[in-house]
Amino acid sequence: MNSTTDIVWLQDDLRIADNPLFRFTARPSYLLCLFVVDEQWLAPLIEGESTPRIGPARLRFLWQSLMELRGELLQRGSDLLVRIGKPSNVVIELSASLNARQIRVAEHPGVEENAHIQAVVEALPSETTVTCMESGRLFERHALPFEQAALPESFSAFRRSVEQECTVPENRCAPVTLPPWPEAPRGFPPLKAVCEQSATWQPDSRQGYVYRGGESAAHIRLNDYIWRQQGAETYKKTRNGLLGASFSTRVSPWLARGCLSARQVYAAVKAWEAEHGSTESSYWITFELLWREYFIRVAELEGAKMFGSRQPAKLCATFDAWRNAATGLPFVDAAMLELRHTGWLSNRARQNVASFLVKDLKVDWRLGALWFEHCLVDYDVASNWGNWRYIAGVGRDPRQDRYFNVLKQAGHYDPQGLYVAHWLKPLENFPPGLARHQPWRVNALAFKAPYVEPEQWAQWLIPYQEAVTTAKPPILTNVTK
């Protein structure tokens, strides 16, 4: 009997359990598991500067996830080969050297990722098949109650349709063993050799929760939130929080890297409901999974249209002020500091900084999406670009009235100014309250006015005399430090 070798080409499926790439109808003699760090991720984010597309926090989380995955594969008799280069070229070269029977890869909503898959399909000989599988989705495509081209225009219509018609399949257990490694190279470069900045990067001590990549950390967090913290009882009430570890599930980084599948999260919620009963909060966790599913399906359908009809605008001082936390508006600047120094940001803060950039600062939304791509440990192409399009009022559900009055939002979601003072230390010198959100109204010598003061803020500005009486003596400090 002739021996056979398959290649599992991993992209965002960095888990063993509930991963169809590791389920075989015809088990190969040998298996090579491969992850390719796309050289384009290390290239400049935006023309004219050296900032790479993948930032230190995101790359560090990815490396942790790969290291744990390798350990899981070794326990099952396999290994993980990590290369840096153009993914399609690496796969084609390895396939030829091993005379591979099959390349197994998950479908991906990203345009660049799909282009690499297509390049492999076109380059390989007929005796080597490329098998693309759906992975990490809630629903199987064939079970959706509409064809891909007939995807509902709005999320609400999508949600109603799938909730009525679809069932989430059970997630699968991890395989006990895997086929052995072929006569082929092994290798896992140290992170320092890929990006020294990422190797030395550490999250800011002020962050509410420290992320670590990998499948085991994902399940520890999920189980802790659902069962110990009873998050399925409280999520709907707390999800707009800004400080701490417990106001949201915080599982998005592991979902983005595929250390956790959407079905595993769904199953955890349903297990909790089986014991405690369904609540508004437990439903709302699955509701957020439906948003993720919708963005994936939109990205699959629209392809390059997801990124807009033209290249992003060139860099400008206004965009730099936004990303460098120097807009003069504490609610925005605090969030942008948190993003830069931790690689994560709450959903409420994301919506506000995005709206402020697009609607108030009048900056091209695609520059914001690119910056999030650089920073976020939970970056995934479908959710990131889908959410930015939603805020910008472009795409499948275009509306221009999705405006977040950031000053109003700050007063509502951070009424004591605890969040802004947590990240902007000079604001601790103000007593808790709205003055922390409007320091230029209190001490114009120490705090510059914001880049813009939209007319929509007028009714939310605190009276000047009231602001002055609540402040301590002037403190001449740069608020962004």
Side-chain angles (χ1 to χ4, degrees):
M1 181 178 177
N2 294 330
S3 65
T4 56
T5 300
D6 285 0
I7 296 175
V8 166
W9 173 16
L10 297 156
Q11 297 189 94
D12 284 332
D13 302 277
L14 306 183
R15 65 186 181 280
I16 298 293
D18 198 35
N19 191 337
L21 298 178
F22 294 117
R23 296 199 302 269
F24 304 93
T25 52
R27 190 179 173 96
S29 308
Y30 302 98
L31 182 68
L32 186 143
C33 303
L34 171 70
F35 184 91
V36 184
V37 178
D38 192 336
E39 59 192 11
Q40 289 299 311
W41 297 349
L42 307 174
L45 173 75
I46 301 169
E47 184 179 349
E49 66 171 53
S50 60
T51 305
R53 285 180 60 180
I54 187 168
R58 185 177 149 212
L59 185 56
R60 179 178 183 264
F61 185 87
L62 169 63
W63 226 251
Q64 292 169 343
S65 301
L66 291 171
M67 289 170 64
E68 181 173 324
L69 177 63
R70 188 188 190 197
E72 292 295 326
L73 290 169
L74 286 168
Q75 290 181 36
R76 290 163 173 79
S78 187
D79 201 346
L80 178 65
L81 174 63
V82 176
R83 288 278 184 84
I84 302 168
K86 185 176 181 178
S88 53
N89 288 352
V90 174
V91 174
I92 292 166
E93 176 189 334
L94 277 172
S95 177
S97 66
L98 295 172
N99 192 25
R101 176 188 71 166
Q102 181 181 204
I103 309 297
R104 301 167 67 85
V105 62
E107 295 178 1
H108 201 288
V111 171
E112 293 175 351
E113 292 82 359
N114 265 318
H116 286 303
I117 294 173
Q118 191 57 38
V120 170
V121 170
E122 294 172 358
L124 291 180
S126 58
E127 55 266 28
T128 302
T129 61
V130 178
T131 304
C132 291
M133 307 176 184
E134 280 198 298
S135 177
R137 317 285 196 258
L138 268 184
F139 309 113
E140 296 173 349
R141 183 179 292 109
H142 68 80
L144 292 173
F146 41 75
E147 297 297 323
Q148 184 178 30
L151 180 71
E153 288 293 327
S154 70
F155 166 71
S156 296
F158 170 83
R159 177 183 58 80
R160 289 191 296 269
S161 180
V162 297
E163 284 183 337
Q164 292 172 5
E165 304 283 345
C166 296
T167 301
V168 177
E170 291 186 5
N171 65 87
R172 305 286 191 93
C173 295
V176 176
T177 62
L178 289 168
W181 196 258
E183 290 292 327
R186 298 175 187 251
F188 196 122
L191 180 54
K192 185 176 181 180
V194 181
C195 177
E196 189 164 352
Q197 181 190 11
S198 186
T200 58
W201 185 88
Q202 291 292 327
D204 194 290
S205 60
R206 291 171 289 179
Q207 75 175 40
Y209 181 83
V210 177
Y211 286 105
R212 180 168 183 83
E215 196 169 358
S216 62
H219 287 282
I220 289 171
R221 171 60 190 181
L222 178 63
N223 290 330
D224 182 72
Y225 180 78
I226 295 293
W227 294 99
R228 188 182 70 80
Q229 299 181 30
Q230 292 293 304
E233 182 69 52
T234 60
Y235 174 75
K236 181 65 160 53
K237 308 178 190 75
T238 65
R239 66 193 179 96
N240 285 311
L242 298 166
L243 286 171
S246 304
F247 62 82
S248 73
T249 67
R250 284 186 176 262
V251 299
S252 57
W254 294 291
L255 279 170
R257 295 290 71 78
C259 303
L260 195 63
S261 75
R263 291 176 190 174
Q264 289 173 320
V265 178
Y266 183 87
V269 174
K270 291 302 173 182
W272 185 90
E273 288 182 338
E275 186 170 320
H276 298 278
S278 177
T279 67
E280 187 179 31
S281 286
S282 64
Y283 167 74
W284 214 258
I285 296 174
T286 62
F287 178 90
E288 298 295 353
L289 292 175
L290 291 177
W291 259 116
R292 177 180 180 272
E293 188 83 4
Y294 181 64
F295 281 137
I296 289 172
R297 300 301 177 182
V298 169
E300 288 175 336
L301 175 62
E302 299 200 351
K305 288 170 59 181
M306 274 275 293
F307 306 99
S309 59
R310 57 182 173 82
Q311 291 296 312
K314 293 188 180 299
L315 294 178
C316 60
T318 307
F319 171 70
D320 281 340
W322 177 80
R323 66 170 166 173
N324 293 327
T327 70
L329 187 67
F331 198 50
V332 169
D333 291 344
M336 297 308 292
L337 282 174
E338 181 180 11
L339 175 63
R340 179 186 286 272
H341 292 298
T342 72
W344 192 83
L345 200 57
S346 70
N347 182 61
R348 178 56 50 182
R350 293 185 200 201
Q351 291 176 315
N352 274 276
V353 299
S355 176
F356 185 71
L357 180 72
V358 177
K359 302 297 177 67
D360 293 327
L361 296 180
K362 311 297 183 185
V363 171
D364 188 338
W365 65 273
R366 284 162 293 197
L367 289 176
L370 285 169
W371 187 245
F372 272 28
E373 178 176 340
H374 168 79
C375 292
L376 286 171
V377 293
D378 64 359
Y379 168 79
D380 80 70
V381 62
S383 293
N384 182 64
W385 289 83
N387 272 304
W388 272 95
R389 292 205 311 169
Y390 186 82
I391 291 292
V394 299
R396 294 180 65 79
D397 187 15
R399 280 173 42 190
Q400 294 302 315
D401 60 347
R402 293 190 181 104
Y403 175 75
F404 286 74
N405 185 323
V406 182
L407 208 57
K408 176 184 177 182
Q409 292 264 315
H412 184 76
Y413 292 104
D414 187 29
Q416 298 302 306
L418 301 180
Y419 174 69
V420 293
H422 184 74
W423 288 99
L424 302 166
K425 291 303 181 184
L427 297 179
E428 290 181 339
N429 293 287
F430 291 84
L434 297 181
R436 288 179 170 182
H437 293 291
Q438 303 175 35
W440 72 96
R441 302 277 295 171
V442 179
N443 186 351
L445 292 176
F447 300 95
K448 293 181 180 179
Y451 245 70
V452 293
E453 292 189 59
E455 60 182 22
Q456 293 94 330
W457 291 4
Q459 70 181 99
W460 307 102
L461 289 169
I462 55 177
Y464 177 73
Q465 289 302 321
E466 176 185 329
V468 171
T469 59
T470 62
K472 289 187 177 181
I475 300 160
L476 300 177
T477 309
N478 186 338
V479 72
T480 65
K481 296 298 184 183

